[in-house]
Structure formats: structure tokens, C-alpha cells
Amino acid sequence: MLSDIKTIVFKVGTSTLTYENGKLNLKLIFALSRVLSDLKNSGIDVILVTSGAIGAGFGKLGITDFPHDIPARQAAAAVGQNELMFIYDKFFGDFGHTIGQVLITKEDFEKEDRREHLLNNFKALLQFNVLPIVNENDAVATDEIVFGDNDTLSAQVAKLIDADMLIMLTDIDGLYDKNPKECDAHLISFVDEITPEMVDNAKGSASKLGTGGMTTKIMAAKIAKDNNIATVILKGEHPDNIYKILDGERIGTYFAPRKKDNE
Ligand code: GLU
């Protein structure tokens, strides 16, 4: 079944892309660019939803106490987004791939005509063999129009383009049955049904610079599942593990897609 995969949406979080001080983790971004380029070489359509703009912006500005007010975060995003894209352009370019930046606001999904324009854009980019790199347009997004987390955004993108799989790269091995800091916590490797208890257990797991956490990842997996898309939550530290997922190895947490009525 995994060999049938044609389109994968990847989401990578701030805590994976940046060091604690907000500076970009170039070793990680290089390895990720190599693996995604290779998947593209193999014929898979790849879309990357990236966080890290705000973190990289604060990092570049040398601000380490990470303010929470919206104008400061907007300014950081304006600085960090092009820092991020510069690095992606360089690394993906080294591996022979052209990237395209797609900055999205929530309205682009809510209004039918805008959703259609967005889909047409993705289709054209993929047709031109471009690897689209998506983020929320944080420099202009304010409270009312904001997704706020790229987990939800990545699930919406996966739904829009009818992807086969959503892979969320994060700073933890996957979903645990209780707080992963507790010594008797176990990794859940396969999820068939998303229960309210799972959502409850995952509360309060957001990182310092990212806005999501395990709750938003589970909610994203639910959007994907309802649209018959498989989701994997995987530690992003070693991007080569993505190959293992595609070889059918059980690492991270795999959320099965919804079963079709006749199955
Ligand atoms: N869009 C935000 C950024 O690029 C990240 C949102 C998130 O952490 O999910 O910094």
C-alpha cells in the first residue's frame, strides 16, 4: 500500500528546525532537504509545511526572551521567513530542486474561490516540478484570521490537495499514552480511532517557540483521517527515518486513514 503513495505533505516544527536560541539548525535542515529531494526524485509529489519563521526571526534579531505580543511576532516572522526560505532555496537547490513559497491565511481555506485559487496554484507548482514550501502568513495574520499552528494548516493542505499521507516531524517520538516525562509512559505506535481521552492526555505539550503541541497534532490527524489520509507523527531529529516509514517500519505514531465504506 505504501508503494501507492503519490503525494506526501510534510510538516516540520520550530523546535525541530531551530536551536533553543532560535538560530536555524542547518545540519537538520540540510538532511531534511536531502531526504525530501530524494523522495521527489523517486516520483513522489512533496509539499513541505514549515514553521520556524518566528523562531528564526528572533534568532536573527538576537532576541532570546521571545516576546509574545503580536506585533513583535509579526516582525520576527517578516525577518525569519526569508531567512528560512533562503536556506531552503540553497539546500534544495544543491539537490537539484526548485522550491516555491506559498504563504497562507485561514481565509484562503474558508472562502471557496480562494480555496480554488490556492489549489490551482499547488497543482501548477507540482506540474512545474516545484516543491512548494508553505507557512502561515504570520507577518500579516492577526488573531481573527490566524490558524495559529501549522499542524492544522498542514492537515488542511493535505486535504486540499488530496494527499496520501501527512508526516509531522516534531521533537518527540510520537504520541504517548500519558505524559512522556513519566517513566511508565508508552509510545502508541498505531492509532485506529482517535478518542477524547487521547486528546485530553496530550494537553499542555507545546514548545517555547512553536504554537502547536500534541493536541493540535491529534486534531490535525483527525482532519486527515476524516479525509482518508494517513498521518505519521515522527521525531524529526533524523530525517532518514522518513525512509523507514515509507518502507513500512513502525516508528513514530501511525494514524490509520478512515476505512472506506466497502472495506
Ligand atoms: N507559523 C509559525 C512560524 O513560522 C509557526 C506556527 C507553529 O508553531 O505551528 O513561526
Side-chain angles (χ1 to χ4, degrees):
M1 214 190 93
L2 288 173
S3 59
D4 291 341
I5 286 179
K6 277 296 306 152
T7 310
I8 307 178
V9 174
F10 288 89
K11 184 262 168 178
V12 60
T14 303
S15 54
T16 305
L17 291 168
T18 63
Y19 293 106
E20 288 259 302
N21 59 7
K23 300 273 185 205
L24 292 176
N25 181 337
L26 298 175
K27 185 178 167 200
L28 181 288
I29 300 174
F30 185 75
L32 180 64
S33 307
R34 174 177 49 77
V35 173
L36 300 194
S37 295
D38 193 33
L39 293 185
K40 209 160 159 53
N41 285 349
S42 77
I44 294 174
D45 279 335
V46 172
I47 293 179
L48 174 62
V49 177
T50 187
S51 297
I54 296 172
F58 283 138
K60 194 166 186 181
L61 294 169
I63 299 171
T64 47
D65 58 348
F66 308 132
H68 284 288
D69 65 290
I70 289 177
R73 292 175 75 90
Q74 286 175 316
V79 172
Q81 179 64 27
N82 35 321
E83 171 85 350
L84 258 183
M85 292 309 287
F86 172 79
I87 297 297
Y88 281 131
D89 194 38
K90 175 156 182 24
F91 290 167
F92 278 107
D94 284 350
F95 295 113
H97 286 281
T98 303
I99 58 161
Q101 171 181 260
V102 183
L103 294 179
I104 295 178
T105 58
K106 202 174 178 190
E107 280 182 318
D108 294 314
F109 285 99
E110 286 171 351
K111 303 207 166 113
E112 205 186 317
D113 56 333
R114 287 176 68 157
R115 206 166 52 231
E116 206 178 306
H117 293 315
L118 186 61
L119 177 59
N120 291 340
N121 181 10
F122 279 127
K123 282 185 181 160
L125 285 167
L126 294 175
Q127 223 159 35
F128 290 143
N129 210 20
V130 170
L131 195 152
I133 301 194
V134 180
N135 195 359
E136 183 152 25
N137 194 354
D138 299 304
V140 297
T142 51
D143 263 353
E144 313 81 66
I145 53 159
V146 79
F147 272 112
D149 69 272
N150 278 358
D151 299 326
T152 313
L153 176 60
S154 65
Q156 292 293 355
V157 170
K159 176 179 167 185
L160 182 75
I161 62 159
D162 197 19
D164 303 298
M165 189 176 255
L166 168 64
I167 299 183
M168 293 194 272
L169 301 169
T170 187
D171 56 0
I172 187 162
D173 289 321
L175 177 66
Y176 281 80
D177 58 356
K178 58 175 74 163
N179 184 339
K181 287 190 186 114
E182 289 177 31
C183 55
D184 58 342
H186 292 105
L187 182 75
I188 305 173
S189 62
F190 181 84
V191 177
D192 197 21
E193 221 35 74
I194 296 170
T195 62
E197 197 192 355
M198 269 175 203
V199 181
D200 226 47
N201 282 345
K203 282 192 180 132
S205 54
S207 76
K208 199 163 59 162
L209 273 168
T211 43
M214 202 42 84
T215 313
T216 52
K217 282 177 188 57
I218 298 173
M219 298 322 286
K222 171 130 183 48
I223 296 170
K225 185 179 186 58
D226 290 346
N227 289 279
N228 207 22
I229 301 164
T231 299
V232 178
I233 300 177
L234 181 67
K235 193 165 190 167
E237 202 179 17
H238 303 294
D240 279 312
N241 282 341
I242 293 166
Y243 292 121
K244 295 187 182 164
I245 297 285
L246 299 178
D247 286 341
E249 234 181 85
R250 283 268 169 94
I251 50 169
T253 300
Y254 177 87
F255 294 78
R258 190 195 53 202
K259 292 190 184 68
K260 296 205 181 92
D261 293 341
N262 56 359
E263 281 177 350

